[in-house]
Each structure stands twice: as C-alpha cells, then as structure tokens.
Amino acid sequence: MHLQQVEYFLAVVDNDGLNAASTSLGVAQPTVSQAIRGLERELDVDLFHRIGRGMVLTSAGHALVGPARRMLRTVVTAEGSLADSSGKPRGRLDILALAALSVEPVATLVASFRQRFPGVSVRIGTLHDETSAPSLVRDGHCEIVVTHLPVLDDADLTVDELGVQDWWLVCPPGSDLPPDDPLPLSALPDVPHVIVPRGGSHTRHIESAVARAGGVIRPTVIIQHREARLPLVFNGVGATFLERSMAEEAARRGAVVRQTEPGLSRAYGLAYEPSGLSPAGRAFVELARENAPLG
C-alpha cells in the first residue's frame, strides 16, 4: 500500500466521487481511478460500488476510512516535526471550524499564525455538526476544531475556552425599529427574517431565547449560503441575526442594527488531542491562548 493511494482514496470519499477528487488533488481523473483500482487489488477487496458514474463505499471501504485518516495524520505530523532553518515549525495544519466562527476568531488567528510561522500551510474546513467534533479529531480529520462550547464527549480531548461570540439583529436600511439599543427581545418587531437551516447549536440558542421572550422569528427566506444573508438584508428581503463583527460592518454600510437584551451569545474555543498535535498545532494553540479575549 502506497501513501498516495491512501490519499487518493480519502479524496474520493471526501469529495463524493472521482471528478471532484481529481480536481481537489490537481491530477487527471484516470490517475485517481488507477490508484483506487491498485489499492483494491493490493487489499484484495472492493472499496467502492460503481453505480453509473457514482462511487459508493462498500463495507470494507467504510472500515478503511478511519485507519486511512489516522495514517495520513501521522504522516502530516511527522513531516511537520522538523523545524525550518530558523527553528520555526513547518508543514501543514488542518483545522475544522464552524461557519459561524470562520470570520472571527478563525480568520484573525490564522492571519497572525501565518505571519509568525510562514513555513506552515493551513487548511480550514467546515465543521458542519458540533456533536461530531470529538470524533473528527480522533479519526484524524484535523488536529484542531474551533467550535462553540461545551464540547460533548471530550474525555480524551483538551478544550480551551477563548471567548464569547455575540449575535446582533441586523435589519434593512431605513427599517423602523424602536430606538432602544439594546433592544429587548420582548420588543422584537414581527418582521420577515432571512435564516440559514438549523445546524449549529447557536441557531437553536437564538430561537429559544426569542421564544422565551415571547417573540417569534418569521422566516421569509431560508438559505444554505450564509454569506448571502447580508446582501438579502440590504435588498430589503428581511432581517437576520449576524455575528458581532459582521453586524458592525453592516451598520457602517447603513443597515439598522440593534444589540439585544438579554444578549445572544455563546462561548467558543478549541478542542484537540494533545498527544496528536504537531509542532505547528502546538504553536497555533499557544497563539490562540495568547490572543484569547478571556486572557
């Protein structure tokens, strides 16, 4: 078994097929297909069911995913175990982060990290389900997850709380809102809302807080693409709740923005397996602690 075969196998799994896998790897599709066929011959088992142009994991393929990820994670950690000529970490750092945290704090932390450690490349993936964070770390999907807290099933993980994320109400320019700032949730106007489908627990947190105050969030547009919320607000479609940094930018551009009372907030932080951290991973954790608002 060659390491490249394992990498190609996981690329097909993660990208749901050969076409997207070959694009993500930057190689021709036949190259990926041949590597998978070669791996299957060496293991003497089918890893995928070929259904038309699609590929679906067999039971053997499912069984290989976890060990394959751990194998690649070990290699990535080993490659980054040696410092560059200046004594700084090098290699690659894989992070999974909730979309709600990708602007702040992730973008700021990664920018600071890259300035300090230019020899490390950083891959940032999306953490779609907070409950899966521990297993994603253990199975080698990443070294570090950035998520809301608390983290469930964290027995063998270290969790560092870094700060608190706030959400503010953002309405189209010219909206007629009560002057109160913060605005009591009980006085939340019955206006259409632009929302994303439930995913992270923060969405449920906001809905529950509004409901407890006797308010209601009336969806007018439900959209998968979080980045489209603000353009929809500026086009007068409806209001939405945005992370504080995005809400402040929206206010500068003319949106009507209100904090709420009680405030809508969730603690966030890092979760990782200390024994599985590469030097780059340890450096990122230390930098995050240094820059934590709580510190």
Side-chain angles (χ1 to χ4, degrees), residues 41-103:
R41 285 194 299 270
E42 292 181 22
L43 297 176
D44 193 25
V45 67
D46 288 333
L47 299 173
F48 294 96
H49 296 295
R50 274 76 173 177
I51 304 174
R53 294 186 177 182
M55 298 180 71
V56 179
L57 281 169
T58 64
S59 57
H62 278 289
L64 181 61
V65 170
R69 291 199 192 281
R70 289 189 289 273
M71 185 186 305
L72 280 190
R73 175 58 47 210
T74 299
V75 171
V76 169
T77 302
E79 289 176 342
S81 63
L82 299 177
D84 62 19
S85 58
S86 63
K88 293 182 178 180
R90 62 183 183 181
R92 190 181 89 204
L93 176 61
D94 293 326
I95 298 171
L96 290 179
L98 282 175
L101 296 167
S102 60
V103 175

Side-chain angles (χ1 to χ4, degrees), residues 8-288:
Y8 287 8
F9 164 72
L10 289 176
V12 174
V13 172
D14 292 338
N15 292 278
D16 298 319
L18 286 171
N19 285 335
S22 62
T23 299
S24 69
L25 292 166
V27 300
Q29 180 179 322
T31 301
V32 180
S33 181
Q34 291 168 13
I36 298 299
R37 289 292 189 186
L39 182 58
E40 290 176 322
R41 285 194 299 270
E42 292 181 22
L43 297 176
D44 193 25
V45 67
D46 288 333
L47 299 173
F48 294 96
H49 296 295
R50 274 76 173 177
I51 304 174
R53 294 186 177 182
M55 298 180 71
V56 179
L57 281 169
T58 64
S59 57
H62 278 289
L64 181 61
V65 170
R69 291 199 192 281
R70 289 189 289 273
M71 185 186 305
L72 280 190
R73 175 58 47 210
T74 299
V75 171
V76 169
T77 302
E79 289 176 342
S81 63
L82 299 177
D84 62 19
S85 58
S86 63
K88 293 182 178 180
R90 62 183 183 181
R92 190 181 89 204
L93 176 61
D94 293 326
I95 298 171
L96 290 179
L98 282 175
L101 296 167
S102 60
V103 175
E104 187 62 39
V106 173
T108 301
L109 286 175
V110 170
S112 298
F113 180 80
R114 282 282 302 149
Q115 289 175 358
R116 192 177 299 185
F117 306 106
V120 179
S121 63
V122 182
R123 295 188 181 184
I124 306 171
T126 300
L127 176 63
H128 296 286
D129 180 4
E130 289 164 291
T131 62
S132 67
S135 62
L136 291 171
V137 173
R138 295 182 186 116
D139 291 343
H141 286 262
C142 62
E143 289 190 49
I144 298 168
V145 294
V146 186
T147 183
H148 289 129
L149 304 180
V151 174
L152 304 178
D153 187 25
D154 64 349
D156 56 344
L157 302 179
T158 294
V159 178
D160 293 337
E161 183 175 344
L162 299 182
V164 175
Q165 185 176 53
D166 300 313
W167 287 271
W168 293 357
L169 178 67
V170 179
C171 299
S175 294
D176 184 17
L177 290 185
D180 310 62
D181 192 11
L183 177 70
L185 283 178
S186 58
L188 191 70
D190 183 15
V191 296
H193 277 252
V194 177
I195 66 171
V196 293
R198 287 184 178 180
S201 59
H202 65 281
T203 304
R204 296 188 295 273
H205 173 69
I206 292 172
E207 291 176 348
S208 298
V210 172
R212 285 195 301 271
V216 63
I217 294 178
R218 180 162 54 88
T220 184
V221 172
I222 301 174
I223 186 166
Q224 294 280 353
H225 307 289
R226 298 175 58 86
E227 61 274 11
R229 290 173 298 167
L230 198 50
L232 287 168
V233 170
F234 274 105
N235 278 282
V237 174
T240 195
F241 285 97
L242 290 178
E243 300 81 8
R244 176 177 176 174
S245 60
M246 297 178 65
E248 290 174 332
E249 176 60 27
R252 286 191 286 269
R253 293 172 53 190
V256 179
V257 176
R258 295 286 189 276
Q259 300 180 53
T260 65
E261 177 59 44
L264 300 172
S265 61
R266 286 290 305 279
Y268 65 83
L270 309 180
Y272 53 92
E273 200 170 25
S275 62
L277 286 180
S278 65
R282 288 193 293 273
F284 185 87
V285 169
E286 291 171 5
L287 183 144

